[in-house]
Amino acid sequence: MRRLIPPARPAAALAAGLLAVLSLSACSGAVRVEPPKPEGPAAAGCQKLATALPNRLDGVERVESDPPSPYVAVWGAGEIALRCGVERPASMAATDQATDLDGVTWYQDPQLPALFTAINRAAYVEVTISGKHVPGDVMVDLAGPIKSSIPE
């Protein structure tokens, strides 16, 4: 199995993970995603977010992740993957621009155009979006659950 998002944040490792073809576990049909390990308010917000996320996102159904985690959500065959409670993006500088979509501020990693992180909240929420989807549509659809679950 290959990981969609490796546990470490170096750009080279992330690029390799993002470019890898996802595979489904033969026995469970789950998509392999390494879960983060948030603590305190971040963990509480992420657990609340887990119950607020949609079963269908941008036309694809939610599927199981491997290992199962309240901090991970996957739609399609790994077309969209969310990890809640990740570390602050290592590539994000104070001078970087971010985009506000429906009340949630998103940072896009300039080296990894498929990787977006909701910032300025008690927990960072990382979303990887395949080229099959329009990132803005996905981020707007996730804004409501993020706003209602994770305080600024």
Side-chain angles (χ1 to χ4, degrees):
M1 259 185 256
R2 297 183 187 163
R3 291 184 184 135
L4 175 63
I5 306 291
R9 296 284 312 213
L14 274 173
L18 289 172
L19 296 175
V21 176
L22 292 176
S23 63
L24 298 176
S25 170
C27 58
S28 69
V31 176
R32 176 82 180 142
V33 179
E34 189 67 32
K37 296 176 180 145
E39 296 178 354
C46 290
Q47 289 172 358
K48 187 174 179 184
L49 177 62
T51 64
L53 291 170
N55 288 325
R56 189 168 181 82
L57 184 60
D58 203 33
V60 290
E61 296 293 324
R62 189 166 172 180
V63 298
E64 296 293 321
S65 64
D66 177 33
S69 171
Y71 308 123
V72 172
V74 181
W75 292 266
E79 296 170 32
I80 303 169
L82 177 147
R83 295 184 340 128
C84 186
V86 298
E87 296 292 323
R88 179 182 187 276
S91 64
M92 189 171 79
T95 58
D96 283 340
Q97 300 243 342
T99 302
D100 184 89
L101 291 173
D102 202 22
V104 174
T105 305
W106 295 92
Y107 166 74
Q108 182 178 11
D109 191 311
Q111 296 176 343
L112 305 167
L115 181 64
F116 302 85
T117 306
I119 59 174
N120 298 335
R121 303 214 159 253
Y124 290 104
V125 180
E126 179 182 90
V127 181
T128 305
I129 305 169
S130 80
K132 295 180 180 180
H133 301 276
V134 177
D137 293 348
V138 172
M139 292 183 289
V140 166
D141 289 346
L142 291 173
I146 291 171
K147 288 188 301 190
S148 68
S149 303
I150 304 172
E152 290 187 73

